[in-house]
Every structure is written in structure tokens, then in C-alpha cells.
Amino acid sequence: MNRVNVMRPWLGDEEVAAVAEAIRSGWVAQGPRVAAFEARFAAAMEVPHAIATSSCTTALHLALVVAGVGPGDDVVVPSFSFIATANAAVYVDARPVFADVDLATGNLTRDTVEAALTPATRAVIVVDQGGVPVDLDPIRDLCDPRGIVVIEDAACGAGSTYRGRPVGATAEITAWSFHPRKIITTGEGGMVTTGRDDWAGRARRLREHAMSVSAADRHASVLAPAEEYAEVGFNYRMTDLQAAMGLVQLDRLPEIVARRRALADVYAKQLADIPGLRPVADPAWGTGNFQSFWVEVEPEYPLGRESLLAHLAAADISARRGIMAAHHQPPYRHLTPAAGLPVTDRLTDHTLILPLFHELTESDQERVIAALRGPV
Ligand SMILES: *Cc1c(COP(=O)(O)O)cnc(C)c1O
């Protein structure tokens, strides 16, 4: 029997050809393909500006810098997220303040954010966890009048929708990831999107050392203009090799999301009569891309989460523990709120992620479902 992997990016000859062409062109660092990828990504996500970066982690860092978040500021974040969300606040010498999440979606809500606000709160980073769209509008309603910036961490969110539009379309600023674990990939890579011209311009400069003339413009001109470095910037550039791949992946996005939603639908129907397994589902306000198909193992199920993982592994099925909780990691334990984070703890301790990826076959999915039924 073959191993059923938990995930696998969908890559083909088109990506190979696109990257080969970029290499043959001689332009391998940030150049015309990055510009084209930015333009196409902005159009697809219905946002005015897209700035490609080396990762979502660096995109989050840039977002906090251009939003003016710095030392002495508090940034509300979910602990229930990949650790990069909290780390980004630390990069600007701000303090992450952990808010709890909603049991159904795994996302921050207006209420959990409100409970975490302090007089020093300058920003909130909301996450579309596992591709489930966060209910952004009520959080904006809470934060906008208080001058608190809401940054969307849509690392997992490409192809998900919120109130009929792509996630991030109505956000002030959004960070995206193209790591292979996400919905489309460039190997490593990220993007900042925003509707604000001033933030877009500054992010664009900061990602390449705050140079007044981009390296691409400098190399394209015969007599390079003199550049100036107005502030201390970073090298957070994406390469044209990555962007060449990203352009192909972006074309595949609708097909990837359709396939993932079809597979998620099969899981949901099949799991409906297995007591004690609660699968992630679309919220009322949008549609997910099922970047992670997680299931909560409830007490009615005969096995606990760890035993179920072992049971699946014995059937050569690779599942994973659910989303981590940052407040259990050494750099953040001291920031655990006094009231704890009960929903975060419940989700992180009792969820697992099932195999779901573009090329998962029907027979492999049936094997996963049969293995889940086994102990019942
Ligand atoms: C993966 C992930 C990140 C980090 O993305 P990179 O591109 O690997 O830096 C940040 N936030 C969330 C929610 C993620 O899932």
C-alpha cells in the first residue's frame, strides 16, 4: 500500500518551463516577472497594490512597519496560528497580546479582540486560519474608530472569499504566503497587498533597502541614476524565478480551490455519521479554500487525538496535529493571559489535519475515511 501524504503542492511541466525560461532570459533576481506577478495577483485579489516579498513572515514585518507599529505598542494576535504571526510583532519591538479564537472557525472575533485591547493597542493581526475567512467587518467596526490598524494574515487564504469577494480585498493591508504548505507556491515567497498608496510605496521601497530607484530600474537603464536610501530598509525581495512559478500557480488557483472544496465536501458528508469527529466548515460569511482540513476529535470518538494519529500512521496515512498555539512556546509562555486561552487550548490539543491536496485520489481519500471509521 502506498503512503497517503497529508499534503503535496500541485506542480507540473508548466512551472518547469516558466522557471527555465526565466533562467534563459538572464534575469533571475527581482525583475519583470515579479512585476507581472504583482499585477496579476492584485487583479485576482481585487486590491489596488501588491508588493512581492521573500515570505509571508517578511510581508507581515513590512505591514507592521508601514502601519507605524513600534516600541511600546501592543499588537493583538491569535496564539492559535503559526508562530510567525506573533513573531512579526516582536520584530518591530511591539508586544504581542494573545486573544482567543472562535471554536467553529479557529479565528479571532470582535469579542475576543475586544477582550484583549489595552490602552497601548496599535494593531490587530487577524488570520484566515487554515483558509477559513475571518469575519473582518465587525473587527474593523471595533478597531477603526479607535485608530487601531487591522492587518490580515492571509498566509493560508488565497482563493477563500469573504462576503462574495476574495479575502483581503477589503482589508487595510494583507500578508500572503507562497510556501509549499499553502494553497499556491513559489517555493518560498510572500506578498503584501493594500489599498493605501502611501503604505504600498513605502513597503515597495523598504523591501529593497529603502532604495529610491529599484534595482530593476537601475539595471534596465544604460546610465544608472544615483539612488538614495531614505531610511533603513531590508532585503525582502522575491526572485524572478519564484515569480515565474507564481504566475503559473496563480492560473491554477481556481482549479485548486474547486478540487479542494470537492474533496472537503466528501470528507464532510462521510464524517457526518461518525460520532465525535467535527470537521471544519464554511462560516456564514464566506467560503474557505480548505488549505487545512482539520477535524476536532471530541470525547464521543473512541480514540483521543494522539491515538487516532497513531492509528492512521499504522495504516500508512500521514495526518498532522492541528494548528499550534504560540503561547505554549518558550518565547511566549510569559504572555499567556491571566484568563488563559481555553478555546485555543481545546483546538490545539484536540484537532488533527487530514490529507487533502489537489492530487489526492478518491481511493486514497476512501482509505482515510475507512481508517477513521475503523475504531467506531
Ligand atoms: C505559514 C504561515 C505564515 C508564514 O508564512 P511564510 O511564507 O512561511 O513566512 C504566517 N502566518 C500564517 C497564519 C501561516 O500559516
Side-chain angles (χ1 to χ4, degrees), residues 245-287:
M245 194 170 158
L247 283 161
V248 179
Q249 287 272 293
L250 191 56
D251 281 343
R252 295 191 193 273
L253 180 60
E255 209 180 327
I256 290 173
V257 173
R259 173 72 181 154
R260 296 184 82 100
R261 288 185 59 82
L263 289 165
D265 204 44
V266 172
Y267 272 137
K269 290 203 171 81
Q270 292 292 324
L271 266 52
D273 63 355
I274 304 181
L277 293 182
R278 176 181 71 91
V280 61
D282 280 340
W285 49 81
T287 58

Side-chain angles (χ1 to χ4, degrees), residues 271 274-278 295-305 307-309 311-312 352 368-376:
L271 266 52
I274 304 181
L277 293 182
R278 176 181 71 91
V295 173
E296 183 185 0
V297 185
E298 297 172 319
E300 304 87 79
Y301 192 75
L303 302 179
R305 195 264 307 264
S307 311
L308 177 53
L309 280 169
H311 167 76
L312 292 171
L352 57 82
V368 177
I369 293 160
L372 294 169
R373 278 189 200 287
V376 177

Side-chain angles (χ1 to χ4, degrees), residues 169-180:
T170 61
E172 279 186 283
I173 189 160
T174 306
W176 308 81
S177 175
F178 307 118
H179 183 275

Side-chain angles (χ1 to χ4, degrees), residues 56-135:
C56 181
T57 304
T58 54
L60 284 168
H61 185 190
L62 285 182
L64 285 161
V65 173
V66 301
V69 182
D73 293 335
D74 282 353
V75 180
V76 175
V77 296
S79 165
F80 187 67
S81 184
F82 183 59
I83 198 156
T85 309
N87 285 352
V90 177
Y91 297 160
V92 295
D93 295 316
R95 183 177 70 140
V97 176
F98 294 121
D100 212 353
V101 291
D102 171 54
L103 186 63
T105 63
N107 287 332
L108 296 183
T109 66
R110 184 198 155 103
D111 288 349
T112 67
V113 170
E114 190 164 23
L117 294 182
T118 71
T121 307
R122 273 296 307 278
V124 177
I125 305 179
V126 297
V127 177
D128 302 297
Q129 193 49 260
V132 179
V134 64
D135 193 5

